Amino acid sequence: MLSPAEIRNRYERVQAEVGPNVTIVAATKYVALGEMALLIEAGITTVGENRAQDLEAKHAVYGDAFTWHFIGALQSNKAKVVNARCDLVHSVDTDSTARRLTIPMLIQVNIADEQTKSGIAPADLTAYLNYDVRGLSTMPPAAATADESRTWFRALRELAHSHNLTELSMGTTQDYAVAAQEGATYIRVGSTLFR
């Protein structure tokens, strides 16, 4: 893990690159419990956790220090844990999970129709709009360059706009700048900030 000053410099560089209207969600999947204090010192305000059990442990120690998002696959039986600790879930892709959430959510869309990826088909989105859906998220296919993801980010933006949804969680360490250019309101970055 880098020093707080190094993390802050990286965070500020990413924020300058994506602009003030994009929220940087610091992906803390590989940040140990004790290292979370470094993020506070670095000025990180929003974190995204991938696993409910890690969310519980980290939130118990650092609860009010951050705005918490859940960015991993969420099983419906873990919704109660997330409801009590997070402000937003980025990864809803089943009706059973959506029904159990009491907080705002983003529907994860498998925009490229990849068999190995989670997410709903774009045609199924309407069935979720009776929940507290603020927008959409996606993980595009693996690409050799960031620009190869542009088509998928643009397709997600168009799908969101066609349903009057304003929030878009798209873009990770390898392609966040392109995602921001295509309308991301949240980017999820980890190694860009910490390693």
Side-chain angles (χ1 to χ4, degrees), residues 92-174:
V92 176
D93 64 357
T94 67
D95 185 69
S96 63
T97 298
R99 267 188 281 118
R100 288 171 174 81
L101 288 172
T102 58
I103 59 174
M105 66 189 82
L106 305 177
I107 302 301
Q108 185 173 343
V109 179
N110 186 344
I111 200 75
D113 193 28
E114 291 182 277
Q115 297 303 309
T116 58
K117 288 238 176 100
S118 299
I120 68 163
D124 296 336
L125 178 59
T126 305
Y128 288 84
L129 296 180
N130 56 323
Y131 300 113
D132 190 2
V133 175
R134 302 294 170 87
L136 307 176
S137 70
T138 198
M139 290 293 291
T145 67
D147 206 56
E148 290 177 34
S149 298
R150 187 178 301 279
T151 299
W152 306 113
F153 294 148
R154 188 173 295 148
L156 190 75
R157 183 188 72 220
E158 290 169 0
L159 179 65
H161 287 177
S162 72
H163 292 281
N164 297 314
L165 298 170
T166 57
E167 304 295 335
L168 290 170
S169 176
M170 55 189 196
T172 58
T173 292
Q174 62 270 17

Side-chain angles (χ1 to χ4, degrees), residues 12-156:
E12 289 173 351
R13 188 187 77 238
V14 171
Q15 193 70 72
E17 196 173 353
V18 299
N21 297 324
V22 178
T23 299
I24 298 170
V25 180
T28 55
K29 180 177 182 178
Y30 299 112
V31 177
L33 180 64
E35 293 177 328
M36 295 292 287
L38 299 174
L39 306 190
I40 298 168
E41 278 187 68
I44 303 288
T45 57
T46 304
V47 296
E49 192 51 62
N50 285 66
R51 295 182 283 254
Q53 63 271 26
D54 292 343
L55 170 66
E56 280 186 289
K58 292 173 183 177
H59 190 276
V61 178
Y62 301 104
D64 293 337
F66 303 105
T67 300
W68 298 83
H69 290 196
F70 195 81
I71 60 175
L74 180 59
Q75 298 172 340
S76 59
N77 65 344
K78 300 292 186 183
K80 191 174 184 179
V81 170
V82 172
N83 283 332
R85 292 162 182 85
C86 292
D87 288 5
L88 183 67
V89 178
H90 291 234
S91 50
V92 176
D93 64 357
T94 67
D95 185 69
S96 63
T97 298
R99 267 188 281 118
R100 288 171 174 81
L101 288 172
T102 58
I103 59 174
M105 66 189 82
L106 305 177
I107 302 301
Q108 185 173 343
V109 179
N110 186 344
I111 200 75
D113 193 28
E114 291 182 277
Q115 297 303 309
T116 58
K117 288 238 176 100
S118 299
I120 68 163
D124 296 336
L125 178 59
T126 305
Y128 288 84
L129 296 180
N130 56 323
Y131 300 113
D132 190 2
V133 175
R134 302 294 170 87
L136 307 176
S137 70
T138 198
M139 290 293 291
T145 67
D147 206 56
E148 290 177 34
S149 298
R150 187 178 301 279
T151 299
W152 306 113
F153 294 148
R154 188 173 295 148
L156 190 75

